[in-house]
Amino acid sequence: MKVVLFDAMGVLYRYGNVQGRVLIPYLRAQGCGAPEEEIRAAYRAATLGRLTTEEFWSALGLAARDEHYCREHALTEGTREALDALAGDGLEPACLSNDTAAWSAILRRRFGLDRRIRRWFISSDLGARKPDPAPYRAVLDALRLPAGEVLFVDDRPANLAPARSLGMRTLLFRSDDTGPEPGPSVGTMPELVAAVRAMSSRGPGWPGRQGEKPVEPPPPAV
């Protein structure tokens, strides 16, 4: 294993259900009365690169406010420490996120992740969103690594399936958007680091290949 590829919302950042937990409440607080389906359609267009963020705000009747909106996001506890630990183990962290390039850049500067993650793959730049297979293929092309040397971490089981089908290892991180009974998973950054180390120690054939079950994380320390 050489690269740990992180999802952003729900893994690096606290809220996986970013529209329901962050964006729509923010818009309502700013006086936006647009129907929810209109908001969701505009968000999807922006995260596919079909609208700039300025056009997104304008479509919903607001002036551009990228910086103000991004203050609503929170970092998952222990994220910076986990990234530092994995880098110390010789693993490269990278990120694949359904987001706009503008919001992603603001958040990673705000939380100091731009100094810890060098390669960011953002849906608005790629023109495709997870779980479409295209972003995963774009990542592998850019990394120039065999798929089996990449571990993908996401909080949605549906987003892990394309990664596994391409041969990546996978690890489920529980967030507010994971759903009930997720199966083998981790729920904190220390658990994530322990699980990644356990996977690394078992070599390239274990686990997360196509058809295999995700890793069962080690029990948390008592």
Side-chain angles (χ1 to χ4, degrees):
M1 188 190 306
K2 293 185 178 178
V3 172
V4 181
L5 181 66
F6 289 89
D7 172 42
M9 302 304 173
V11 180
L12 299 176
Y13 307 118
R14 184 179 302 166
Y15 303 113
N17 180 10
V18 67
Q19 295 182 71
R21 295 288 298 274
V22 184
L23 178 62
I24 292 173
Y26 174 81
L27 288 168
R28 297 302 184 223
Q30 302 305 306
C32 175
E36 184 172 318
E37 58 269 24
E38 185 177 326
I39 295 172
R40 291 183 179 276
Y43 175 81
R44 181 174 178 83
T47 57
L48 283 169
R50 297 170 185 169
L51 291 178
T52 66
T53 55
E54 184 173 353
E55 290 167 339
F56 169 83
W57 298 118
S58 179
L60 298 173
L62 298 173
R65 53 191 71 197
D66 290 348
E67 294 277 355
H68 192 255
Y69 162 65
C70 286
R71 294 177 196 168
E72 302 298 307
H73 289 272
L75 195 66
T76 298
E77 184 177 356
T79 290
R80 287 183 286 254
E81 294 81 359
L83 293 173
D84 291 345
L86 294 175
D89 291 343
L91 297 169
E92 178 187 353
C95 180
L96 172 61
S97 177
N98 288 344
D99 202 354
T100 75
W103 296 341
S104 176
I106 291 169
L107 287 173
R108 62 200 195 225
R109 287 196 305 267
R110 175 187 169 196
F111 292 114
L113 301 191
D114 54 344
R115 300 191 298 272
R116 292 172 167 87
I117 298 178
R118 182 170 61 91
R119 293 197 266 198
W120 296 79
F121 302 93
I122 309 303
S123 62
S124 70
D125 291 330
L126 300 174
R129 289 168 45 93
K130 298 174 293 182
D132 185 322
Y136 304 83
R137 294 193 185 103
V139 169
L140 292 175
D141 288 345
L143 293 177
R144 297 178 180 272
L145 288 173
E149 295 182 4
V150 180
L151 169 66
F152 179 54
V153 184
D154 201 286
D155 64 318
R156 294 187 180 188
N159 288 344
L160 297 179
R164 281 197 300 273
S165 72
L166 291 171
M168 295 185 199
R169 306 179 186 195
T170 61
L171 180 62
L172 181 64
F173 190 92
R174 297 189 303 276
S175 79
D176 62 315
D177 202 34
T178 300
E181 301 180 2
S185 59
V186 297
T188 67
M189 284 295 169
E191 289 177 8
L192 183 148
V193 171
V196 172
R197 286 172 171 168
M199 295 171 76
S200 297
S201 71
R202 287 162 172 79
W206 187 96
R209 299 285 186 171
Q210 185 174 0
E212 292 182 335
K213 295 182 179 179
V215 62
E216 181 73 59
V222 177

